[in-house]
Amino acid sequence: MVGGTKIFNISHCGCNRFLRGATSQRQLSVSRQGRRSEAKTRVPRRQWHCRAASALADQEDPLVAAEADPSSPAAIQKYLASIGWQSAWIDGVVERVMKRQLVTTSNNCQEVVEYLMSEGLSEFQVCNMVSLCYEILSSNVVNLQGVVAFMAAKGVTDIPGVLSLHPKLLAYSVAPDNKLLVKGKMRAAIVTRPPGGVDDFRVVIFREGAAFNTAPVTPWKPDDL
């Protein structure tokens, strides 16, 4: 007591404790209010599952999207599998499409396969021919028709038999002079002897500018040259 007045000495530690308590009360109040507002806006579990299922349904299946593109490996694989090709042959085609070594579409594959089968080739023969020459699937029906017409003009009667033995001829195109088949700098000639069957023809493949009949390893010269 000083001069009749009481002085209360509040320790610094006690004051801090008092302030901390008040602060904790305010924080607790704010936290409770936040929880109430969060509870009001929280989406019920069942409703959340419905929204998630709806979002997944709206998303397009990547495989379906890939198959919709005719030039995609998935679309080509789907078509070849639908006509009963063996997986080993399909894998060979798809691998080359993925590596950009073969450029084609599922629609073009269908046209090529259907045309070759219309010429008398069986499905097994077409599969085997493609496994030996994948470029067949990148060709088009007009070019294939030209090669078949060229062979018929040369006297080949058993065209399915000749094509099954020499499928790489389908990767060529007919030269402007109708004497040879050409593919870049490669040339192919067909010579037949009556009656023109499988055992009565000769296929000569050579490079542009090749020499003939000059050594044992040079190609045989076609009659048209």
Side-chain angles (χ1 to χ4, degrees):
M1 180 179 293
V2 180
T5 303
K6 291 183 179 180
I7 297 176
F8 297 94
N9 184 15
I10 302 176
S11 64
H12 179 72
C13 181
C15 182
N16 288 342
R17 190 180 297 112
F18 172 78
L19 293 175
R20 282 199 301 270
T23 303
S24 299
Q25 289 294 333
R26 286 195 298 271
Q27 291 177 346
L28 180 60
S29 176
V30 172
S31 177
R32 288 175 178 173
Q33 293 176 0
R35 290 178 182 175
R36 293 193 190 98
S37 61
E38 182 181 355
K40 293 179 181 178
T41 58
R42 185 179 299 169
V43 178
R45 184 181 297 273
R46 182 176 298 178
Q47 186 178 355
W48 182 86
H49 282 297
C50 292
R51 290 183 180 180
S54 177
L56 289 175
D58 293 338
Q59 292 180 357
E60 189 174 10
D61 188 351
L63 180 59
V64 174
E67 291 177 350
D69 181 7
S71 62
S72 68
I76 296 172
Q77 182 180 23
K78 181 180 179 180
Y79 166 70
L80 297 179
S82 68
I83 60 176
W85 282 29
Q86 296 182 10
S87 59
W89 285 325
I90 297 176
D91 292 343
V93 173
V94 172
E95 179 183 0
R96 283 159 178 79
V97 172
M98 295 178 66
K99 292 181 178 179
R100 305 294 183 182
Q101 297 174 349
L102 176 64
V103 179
T104 186
T105 65
S106 58
N107 298 332
N108 190 74
C109 291
Q110 181 177 358
E111 293 175 359
V112 169
V113 171
E114 290 178 352
Y115 169 72
L116 292 177
M117 293 182 67
S118 69
E119 288 292 337
L121 290 159
S122 67
E123 183 178 300
F124 177 82
Q125 286 177 312
V126 175
C127 291
N128 188 54
M129 290 165 58
V130 171
S131 69
L132 297 174
C133 181
Y134 292 98
E135 296 173 85
I136 293 175
L137 294 180
S138 64
S139 185
N140 56 74
V141 173
V142 175
N143 188 75
L144 298 179
Q145 289 174 337
V147 174
V148 171
F150 173 83
M151 296 172 63
K154 294 297 181 181
V156 177
T157 56
D158 186 7
I159 291 179
V162 174
L163 291 178
S164 63
L165 291 176
H166 299 275
K168 293 185 178 181
L169 290 177
L170 293 175
Y172 286 72
S173 57
V174 182
D177 58 3
N178 292 323
K179 291 184 177 181
L180 299 170
L181 297 176
V182 299
K183 178 187 173 184
K185 292 186 176 295
M186 299 302 298
R187 303 290 184 266
I190 298 178
V191 179
T192 58
R193 297 177 305 219
V198 174
D199 299 327
D200 300 296
F201 77 97
R202 179 180 297 175
V203 176
V204 182
I205 298 178
F206 55 94
R207 190 174 178 84
E208 181 183 15
F212 300 98
N213 302 331
T214 57
V217 295
T218 56
W220 174 82
K221 183 178 181 180
D223 296 336
D224 291 338
L225 297 181

